[in-house]
Amino acid sequence: MIRIALRMLTGDTAKYVGLVCGVAFAVMLMAQQASIFVGLMLRTAAQVIDVVDADLWVMDPRVIYVEEIEPLPESALWRVRGVAGVGWATPFFKGLTVARAPDGRLQQVFVLGVDDASLAGSPPRMLQGSVEDLRRPGAIVLDRVGALFIWPGEEPAPGKVLEMADRRATVVGVAEASAPFTTFPVIYTRYSEALRFAPPPRKPLSYILVRAQVGEDIDALAARIESETGLLALRWQDFVWRTIRYYLTRTGIPVNFGITVALGFIVGAAVVGQTFMIFVLENLRQFGALKAMGVSNGTLLRMVLAQAGAVAAIGYGLGIGLAAVFFEVTGRTNVDLRGFFLPWWVAAIVAGAVVLIILVASIASIRKALTLDPAVVFK
Amino acid sequence: MNGAVVTARGVAKDFPSGDGTIRVLHGIDLTVRAGEMLLLVGPSGCGKTTLISILAGILSASEGAIEVLGQDVRHLTPSAAARFRRETVGFIFQQYNLLPSLTAAENAAIPLVVRGERLDRATRRARAVLEGLGMGAHAEKLPRQLSGGQMQRVAIARALVHDPPFIVCDEPTAALDAASGHEAMRQLRASAVRPGRAVVVVTHDPRVYGFADRIARMEDGRIVEIAEDAAAIRRMTEH
């Protein structure tokens, strides 16, 4: 009877297509918007995520997200280095400045200053040049997409020259960096150079990157740093969450995306529910005939659920596929949208939402079919 | 003629109406014998359709006793009634009620699928029944590609495919022109009437009375006359 139910469904092409498109639209809207939201939230902490060689980020306890820097005195670095269990601790500078290209074009850029000696905090994925080249005077490593903003239409390459704070900077390498929230180019340089390219107001130190000694418990070390220095020490994951939490609670971004996702759910449920209800109502006489011929309510229930399940599965596949294609295509063709992707868990949550939509859509239809009097066929 | 397939004694049916009930069948006594085609005739609203719905286990009677092949069908639970209809009854509906997205053969195979047979095997058996009704060439067509008479033959095949001992048929000629109606009744008679099987046909078309073994005439929820032989049937036709 399940095959017959599916044939009934696909036989009414207009409604079948309408139902599948309704689910696909809802899935695509929910998956795409939720994924962009996730991508945006990850962008807010891009520069934390890109530092791969530190176990802990140490900062002023008043810091509530990565962009709101409370500069530390350089003495803080020595206090941290003095805590037992610290393998190494290096300064990390994060600032904003304006870069001027030789053609006079101005561009606001992020300047990240990594430790002069160890280069800890350098970009993890170099595309051209070497991190070691940062040791040269005035050397900078530029992120690939940032270079396209500064020199549109030109392939990023070492040797290009910029001017920041009236100082000449030479590109010695190109790196792949996670897209920041504001899409400014990201420039990596040594800490000492960074202080010249983006002069800080008074205290220079943005963050301290800490690597624990081998075998050291990271959480215990963080607690020790906090108690001995009065600073805040966070694992990079915790710092990422602290930053994301700021955007979640202090901005309208989640509300905005939440409304769109909710609209996708509501519109999907309404369209699919109504169309499915009409489909069942129009087939009521056929269901009545089947009931008259001895089809039990249990079988009828399975038939309606099979129809709803087929619509859900095909619509979901189509919608999630379209969302994946959207990210694949836009990620390749639009540098502003790089880094957005469809996380597997968003796909899973949307699948759950589709199950809910289909259940909501089917309940009224199922009731109609189950309470149907088979004598309707003689009327 | 053989023994009784259907026996109804003192059957009454009430339907809710406003604050009370309205009685549409009054003390119906009727026996349908194996191997016969019985026509239930009478004006619209006289209770013919209600009576066959009760005999076929679709509606339950308010009073009286109904036995089909010795089984009490008045007190069946909904699931037992569904099982009874699945196993015992073949249906031919006035509007055919064919599923529009299934082929003629697949439509005819539905009672077998309802009984648990696989659709492809059931369709093979249904195709053979359609062949017997001269519909072999149309077995793979969809209902919308068939004429009214052809759809009625598919409905007849659907009623016969699982070889039920009892067939109920509601106004089989109502949607057909005279020639197609006559042909449908001829085929129904030829293919459905068998030893051990009872066929009850509801109709108000006097042109098909000649196909009956017996005719029960109803008025106002009562059986007022039963024509038991050819002469009585002829008289009823002329009136």
Side-chain angles (χ1 to χ4, degrees), chain B residues 1-6 31-36 194-198 214:
Chain B
M1 302 288 174
N2 299 309
V5 172
V6 181
T31 300
V32 190
R33 300 173 197 132
E36 78 165 345
R194 288 274 182 280
R197 177 189 289 157
R214 290 190 304 146

Side-chain angles (χ1 to χ4, degrees), chain A residues 118-308:
Chain A
S118 65
L119 301 181
S122 298
R125 296 181 299 279
M126 290 296 291
L127 301 175
Q128 294 182 58
S130 162
V131 169
E132 285 300 317
D133 292 335
L134 279 179
R135 297 187 191 283
R136 284 156 44 186
I140 59 169
V141 168
L142 195 54
D143 85 286
R144 179 181 64 85
V145 177
L148 292 173
F149 290 145
I150 298 171
W151 294 287
E154 291 181 35
E155 269 305 303
K160 290 182 180 290
V161 175
L162 282 177
E163 197 180 287
M164 289 179 285
D166 297 328
R167 290 175 186 277
R168 179 185 159 95
T170 306
V171 177
V172 296
V174 178
E176 191 70 74
S178 300
F181 187 66
T182 49
T183 70
F184 296 152
V186 181
I187 285 175
Y188 289 87
T189 187
R190 280 178 292 117
Y191 183 79
S192 56
E193 295 282 12
L195 300 186
R196 285 193 279 272
F197 290 143
R202 194 163 59 88
K203 292 183 278 188
L205 189 52
S206 310
Y207 297 101
I208 299 168
L209 303 180
V210 170
R211 169 66 70 87
Q213 285 176 357
V214 177
E216 186 68 38
D217 182 280
I218 308 291
D219 293 325
L221 177 60
R224 212 155 45 237
I225 289 172
E226 288 182 356
S227 69
E228 290 183 23
T229 65
L231 300 172
L232 178 66
L234 297 173
R235 284 174 178 266
W236 71 267
Q237 298 96 324
D238 297 330
F239 194 22
V240 167
W241 270 114
R242 191 179 179 89
T243 299
I244 288 175
R245 246 193 320 273
Y246 168 81
Y247 283 92
L248 288 176
T249 55
R250 301 281 187 89
T251 72
I253 297 171
V255 175
N256 198 18
F257 278 90
I259 287 171
T260 313
V261 171
L263 271 179
F265 182 86
I266 292 166
V267 171
V271 169
V272 175
Q274 197 175 26
T275 314
F276 197 65
M277 184 74 176
I278 292 169
F279 169 77
V280 170
L281 284 178
E282 285 183 358
N283 281 286
L284 223 45
R285 203 171 175 84
Q286 270 76 35
F287 282 126
L290 292 174
K291 258 184 135 168
M293 286 187 271
V295 171
S296 65
N297 269 347
T299 305
L300 218 53
L301 177 68
R302 281 194 292 277
M303 288 176 74
V304 175
L305 285 178
Q307 290 169 335

Side-chain angles (χ1 to χ4, degrees), chain A residues 7 285-286 291-292 294 378, chain B residues 85-86 91 99 101 106:
Chain A
R7 292 282 297 279
R285 203 171 175 84
Q286 270 76 35
K291 258 184 135 168
F378 287 134
Chain B
R85 295 196 298 271
R86 201 157 56 221
F91 290 92
L99 299 187
S101 50
E106 288 167 337

